[in-house]
Amino acid sequence: MKRTKHFESDRATLYLVATPIGNLDDMTFRAINTLKSVDKIYCEDTRTSRTLLEHYQIDKPLDSYHDHNKTTKQHHILNDLRSGLSIALISDAGTPLISDPGYSVVNLVKESGFVVVSIPGPSAFLTGLSVSALPTHPFIFYGFLPTKSSKLKTACEGLRKEPYTLIFYESPHRINSTLETLYHVFGDRKVVIARELTKRYEETISGTLKELQDLPPLKGELVLILEGFQDEPKDQEVNLLDEVYALIDQGVSSKEAIKVIAKRHDLPKNDVYQLYHKT
């Protein structure tokens, strides 16, 4: 067991500082003061972060830390701490490590005996969840779904029976294909897309997965919030089975009957298949 009193250590500290997800006024006083007090700031993109720092008149050395150099740069951060420098790590927007790089350096720094302190602040998925009007607890935050269609489908099927609200990040150019996959795997559930959060064109798009098929082009960063799995009422199961057996009595094969009833009720074919074969 290892216990660490974060504010009683005199060793150099790595601060994880949350930054605005769009509106620069969302920066906290503590975040500003921390960035002004550290010796060096690591960030994903120095050009993006320099705009934020100039807005708050913060003049500190900047260095990059991102997915493509994190293995090398995490040792630079560790060496900085060993030299007695206090370091801040920020992402392009939001809370560091949340769908952003940083896990490995935090692990390395803590294993080396240094203190890691989080300076909390904005987070896109929590902001989207709070305005979604879907249950806010419990929930599962997944982050970005796989981009390859086969891996996307596998990931979704693994989540299909989760009774919790599901939260994803998605890019505008993939949103329609992702919604199509979600509809085929999850059925017609409630869904909310929150985009451009805290910015001038902030918007939520609410409906069901079926209603949100073939959306017009969207811009900006998207948070996708999906209703969790709901048990189907027993009487609905009975009605579905009655319809399947009615088709079978008419000479339709069980395979075709399952397919027809699933399509009629906008349900995943596998759901009707499982229902039929458990009786």
Side-chain angles (χ1 to χ4, degrees):
M1 183 177 73
K2 183 187 295 183
R3 296 179 67 176
T4 306
K5 301 284 188 181
H6 288 184
F7 301 110
E8 295 179 4
S9 172
D10 57 359
R11 301 195 71 184
T13 298
L14 172 63
Y15 294 94
L16 311 174
V17 183
T19 57
I21 58 175
N23 191 323
L24 294 183
D25 288 344
D26 290 334
M27 193 80 167
T28 69
F29 290 121
R30 191 177 174 212
I32 295 169
N33 290 334
T34 300
L35 293 180
K36 285 182 175 178
S37 70
V38 297
D39 298 298
K40 191 174 183 180
I41 299 170
Y42 284 84
C43 57
E44 287 185 271
D45 188 324
T46 55
R47 295 163 298 181
T48 301
S49 294
R50 198 175 303 281
T51 301
L52 173 72
L53 299 182
E54 288 177 352
H55 181 79
Y56 287 102
Q57 298 179 324
I58 298 171
D59 184 17
K60 294 290 178 178
L62 275 178
D63 202 347
S64 64
Y65 174 87
H66 47 68
D67 272 329
H68 302 296
N69 69 6
K70 60 185 180 185
T71 303
T72 301
K73 287 300 180 72
Q74 66 186 11
H75 293 288
H76 291 191
I77 292 174
L78 185 59
N79 288 335
D80 286 340
L81 292 168
R82 285 171 172 160
S83 299
L85 301 180
S86 285
I87 302 297
L89 176 67
I90 61 178
S91 61
D92 282 347
T95 300
L97 280 75
I98 307 301
S99 287
D100 283 323
Y103 160 73
S104 59
V105 70
V106 167
N107 190 44
L108 177 65
V109 166
K110 294 196 72 169
E111 287 294 320
S112 301
F114 291 95
V115 174
V116 179
V117 171
S118 177
I119 309 298
S123 179
F125 82 86
L126 290 176
T127 306
L129 176 63
S130 64
V131 298
S132 69
L134 289 175
T136 53
H137 63 87
F139 65 82
I140 293 175
F141 171 65
Y142 189 92
F144 286 98
L145 285 160
T147 55
K148 290 186 177 180
S149 58
S150 59
K151 291 185 177 179
L152 170 62
K153 188 177 179 182
T154 299
C156 290
E157 287 175 343
L159 296 167
R160 194 169 65 82
K161 291 291 186 180
E162 294 290 351
Y164 315 129
T165 300
L166 303 172
I167 309 172
F168 309 100
Y169 287 160
E170 191 49 282
S171 68
H173 71 272
R174 287 199 301 267
I175 186 64
N176 275 325
S177 61
T178 296
L179 287 170
E180 182 180 0
T181 300
L182 294 181
Y183 175 58
H184 286 299
V185 174
F186 291 92
D188 198 19
R189 297 189 190 181
K190 294 178 182 176
V191 63
V192 176
I193 297 173
R195 74 177 191 92
E196 295 286 80
L197 288 167
T198 77
K199 300 177 185 175
R200 180 181 179 183
Y201 296 106
E202 176 177 306
E203 176 186 34
T204 54
I205 303 169
S206 306
T208 67
L209 283 171
K210 184 177 181 181
E211 292 170 343
L212 267 57
Q213 298 296 297
D214 298 322
L215 288 173
L218 298 175
K219 293 182 179 179
E221 297 167 349
L222 309 178
V223 182
L224 200 157
I225 306 113
L226 182 66
E227 179 184 35
F229 174 77
Q230 306 291 320
D231 277 327
E232 295 169 357
K234 289 293 182 183
D235 56 350
Q236 183 182 354
E237 292 185 0
V238 172
N239 291 338
L240 289 172
L241 283 174
D242 286 346
E243 293 181 48
V244 171
Y245 284 120
L247 289 178
I248 293 174
D249 289 343
Q250 294 171 22
V252 178
S253 69
S254 60
K255 181 179 178 182
E256 183 63 20
I258 289 168
K259 179 180 176 182
V260 169
I261 299 307
K263 186 175 182 181
R264 180 184 297 170
H265 293 276
D266 291 325
L267 293 171
K269 187 171 65 175
N270 191 51
D271 280 6
V272 182
Y273 176 88
Q274 295 292 342
L275 180 63
Y276 175 76
H277 284 282
K278 79 177 183 180
T279 58

